[in-house]
Amino acid sequence: QSGAAIDDAVITLRGDMNHAGMVPVESTATGFGDGIYLADFEWTMAGEWFVVVTATLPDGRVKSETFTYSVAVK
């Protein structure tokens, strides 16, 4: 709430396409301190995706946010 950086959280990502039949992409972020987390995430095909990022905070609270992406062919 205060906007301060949070360390020692467990951050997971789950990416799904908006149509059936695709295997979800899952990843867990690694914390580097000062509230910085990095996760490897591979888009397995072009199209419309939504990614749910879930943070389990050190005090046990769980927060989730959903982000949408349009992935194009390179």
Side-chain angles (χ1 to χ4, degrees), residues 19-68:
H19 59 79
M22 291 302 300
V23 175
V25 177
E26 296 180 326
S27 182
T28 300
T30 301
F32 289 92
D34 295 325
I36 297 171
Y37 295 84
L38 178 67
D40 289 325
F41 194 87
E42 182 179 350
W43 305 108
T44 54
M45 71 178 302
E48 301 303 312
W49 287 80
F50 60 95
V51 177
V52 178
V53 179
T54 302
T56 303
L57 305 178
D59 65 5
R61 290 180 294 156
V62 177
K63 303 292 182 182
S64 291
E65 185 88 25
T66 301
F67 301 89
T68 58

